[in-house]
């Protein structure tokens, strides 16, 4: 039996206004998310799947949360959306700490009943791998070989080529999957990806629903969602893309004069990254809150989250190894 789902990249909804955006970010992010629901409805989808990071922070204000719940609950005619709604949990949703889950705006969304947070949907042949600190490692170790489902959605750093800023990223052609799996959709990275492996497995990332900061990849990027048609037997998966028509052009939402200033920030990013490479992490493990020190310094320089997350992951791993060694 053929199924059809709409897959949406990281929304990062927030009431906090990014300094680089000239429009109202909260209104824009909610409008784009609503547009993805309308697209799913027009395509007669069985479900819509958000790939994680519904929110940019673990706690946003009540206004944006209530507006998002209302959008997810009903369409402009006051009727429930005619399809299932699912979301993965992203690292931003819980501030990189799983124990935060029940203290987050993401959890408020889940308990409201407007969207489902589950691990699998057998009737649609879907598996969901939510973010955790070791997700890329477990995927590399064969996690996806256990799932005899045609579609896997994951909030994980999966790319079609190496990236210099995220050492934890894994390549689409570097790990095994079950023979029945036809498509793997991943969020987390904000750029788009669509590649086919020689074993007839397709890897996609529709690209993030948001554009918070200046990024060269976004200059000519039209925000899109993926429409995936597939069968439960795992014989095929066909992917098309639909424009999120509410997403405004790059030059309409960013102050391009500030973009020149951002070049200086990028130079600081390069210097910061070089500094991280030269840090004596062994010494830092004996300082108070070395991760906080790295985060604070990075935030002051407006370092991109991907870089900071990779640096802090390295520190956390080293701290764990030190604790084990002392025992």
């Amino acid at each position: 039996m053929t199924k059809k789902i709409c897959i949406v990249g990281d929304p990062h909804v927030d009431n906090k206004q990014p300094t680089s955006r000239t429009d109202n970010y909260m209104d824009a992010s909610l409008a784009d998310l609503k547009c993805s629901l309308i697209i799913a409805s027009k395509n007669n989808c069985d479900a819509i799947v958000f790939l994680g990071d519904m929110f940019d922070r673990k706690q946003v204000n009540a206004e944006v949360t209530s507006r998002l719940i209302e959008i997810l609950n009903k369409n402009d005619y006051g009727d429930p959306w005619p399809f299932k709604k699912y979301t993965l949990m992203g690292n931003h949703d819980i501030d990189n700490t799983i124990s935060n889950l029940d203290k987050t705006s993401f959890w408020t969304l889940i308990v409201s009943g407007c969207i489902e947070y589950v691990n699998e949907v057998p009737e649609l042949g879907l598996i969901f791998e939510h973010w955790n600190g070791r997700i890329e490692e477990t995927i590399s170790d064969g996690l996806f070989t256990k799932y005899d489902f045609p579609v896997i959605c994951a909030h994980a750093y999966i790319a079609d080529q190496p990236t210099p800023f995220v050492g934890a990223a894994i390549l689409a052609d570097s790990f095994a999957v079950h023979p029945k799996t036809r498509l793997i959709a991943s969020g987390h990275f904000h750029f788009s990806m669509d590649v086919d492996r020689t074993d007839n497995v397709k890897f996609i990332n529709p690209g993030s629903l948001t554009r918070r900061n200046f990024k060269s990849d976004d200059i000519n990027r039209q925000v899109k969602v993926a429409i995936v048609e597939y069968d439960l037997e795992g014989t095929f998966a066909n992917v098309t893309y639909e424009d999120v028509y509410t997403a405004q052009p790059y030059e309409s939402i960013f102050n391009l004069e500030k973009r020149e200033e951002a070049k200086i920030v990028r130079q600081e990013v390069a210097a910061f990254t070089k500094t991280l490479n030269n840090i004596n992490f062994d010494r830092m493990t004996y300082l108070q809150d070395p991760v906080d020190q790295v985060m604070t310094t990075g935030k002051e320089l407006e370092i991109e989250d991907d870089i900071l997350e990779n640096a802090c992951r390295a520190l956390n791993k080293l701290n764990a190894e030190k604790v084990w060694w002392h025992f």
Side-chain angles (χ1 to χ4, degrees):
M1 180 181 292
T2 300
K3 300 295 182 182
K4 186 188 289 187
I5 60 173
C6 178
I7 296 180
V8 185
D10 303 15
H12 285 274
V13 175
D14 199 351
N15 58 280
K16 185 177 180 181
Q17 180 71 16
T19 56
S20 53
R21 292 275 297 240
T22 58
D23 60 344
N24 184 307
Y25 178 79
M26 177 176 68
D27 289 345
S29 59
L30 288 170
D32 293 348
L33 190 144
K34 182 177 181 179
C35 184
S36 70
L37 292 160
I38 294 172
I39 292 171
S41 183
K42 287 182 176 179
N43 280 275
N44 297 313
C45 290
D46 297 296
I48 190 168
V49 178
F50 295 93
L51 292 174
D53 286 347
M54 287 293 286
F55 295 103
D56 193 59
R57 297 176 292 147
K58 72 174 183 178
Q59 279 285 359
V60 298
N61 72 8
E63 178 187 3
V64 70
T65 305
S66 59
R67 286 178 62 183
L68 179 53
I69 290 172
E70 183 177 14
I71 288 170
L72 288 167
N73 269 331
K74 57 188 179 181
N75 60 25
D76 285 339
Y77 302 101
D79 299 321
W81 296 99
F83 45 76
K84 291 282 192 175
K85 293 155 291 173
Y86 301 100
T87 182
L88 275 67
M89 179 183 69
N91 57 304
H92 277 256
D93 292 317
I94 55 172
D95 193 23
N96 297 291
T97 305
I98 293 175
S99 61
N100 283 337
L101 179 57
D102 62 354
K103 310 174 188 70
T104 64
S105 297
F106 177 81
W107 190 242
T108 301
L109 207 64
I110 302 307
V111 297
S112 76
C114 65
I115 196 167
E116 295 185 56
Y117 164 63
V118 296
N119 294 322
E120 61 180 47
V121 188
E123 63 270 25
L124 292 178
L126 294 173
I127 284 287
F128 300 140
E129 279 298 330
H130 307 280
W131 180 86
N132 67 71
R134 297 181 63 249
I135 185 168
E136 291 85 12
E137 183 180 342
T138 56
I139 292 171
S140 294
D141 288 343
L143 175 65
F144 289 171
T145 61
K146 301 186 300 182
Y147 302 135
D148 60 343
F149 282 52
V151 177
I152 298 175
C153 298
H155 193 83
Y157 280 135
I158 300 175
D160 58 342
Q161 56 188 342
T163 170
F165 296 126
V166 183
I170 51 178
L171 298 183
D173 61 0
S174 67
F175 56 88
V177 302
H178 192 277
K180 192 174 179 178
T181 300
R182 291 278 67 83
L183 180 113
I184 294 176
S186 57
H188 211 5
F189 275 132
H190 287 189
F191 55 76
S192 57
M193 173 181 65
D194 188 313
V195 296
D196 295 288
R197 284 200 331 195
T198 56
D199 59 355
N200 201 31
V201 178
K202 178 179 279 291
F203 288 77
I204 68 166
N205 181 339
S208 65
L209 199 60
T210 186
R211 291 170 292 176
R212 286 189 61 84
N213 303 304
F214 298 116
K215 286 187 177 180
S216 58
D217 291 345
D218 278 335
I219 294 176
N220 298 312
R221 180 173 77 92
Q222 171 63 48
V223 179
K224 298 177 182 289
V225 297
I227 305 296
V228 181
E229 260 189 290
Y230 60 98
D231 69 342
L232 296 182
E233 291 71 38
T235 62
F236 83 98
N238 182 59
V239 181
T240 57
Y241 295 91
E242 295 263 353
D243 291 349
V244 177
Y245 51 83
T246 53
Q248 297 300 303
Y250 184 87
E251 60 272 14
S252 299
I253 60 175
F254 288 113
N255 184 331
L256 298 185
E257 291 181 2
K258 284 190 175 182
R259 187 167 181 265
E260 294 302 312
E261 298 174 11
K263 290 182 180 179
I264 299 174
V265 174
R266 284 199 296 273
Q267 293 173 355
E268 293 175 331
V269 168
F272 181 75
T273 306
K274 184 177 180 180
T275 300
L276 285 177
N277 289 333
N278 294 326
I279 284 176
N280 184 342
F281 284 113
D282 187 63
R283 176 177 172 273
M284 284 193 72
T285 57
Y286 296 100
L287 300 176
Q288 183 177 3
D289 297 323
V291 173
D292 287 346
Q293 293 177 28
V294 170
M295 287 296 292
T296 300
T297 303
K299 292 295 184 183
E300 288 173 355
L301 293 176
E302 297 185 5
I303 306 299
E304 291 185 10
D305 289 337
D306 289 351
I307 301 172
L308 286 180
E309 184 178 326
N310 202 40
C312 292
R313 183 180 294 180
L315 272 178
N316 282 325
K317 182 178 180 181
L318 185 59
N319 277 332
E321 290 172 351
K322 286 291 181 184
V323 170
W324 177 86
W325 184 82
H326 282 299
F327 278 104

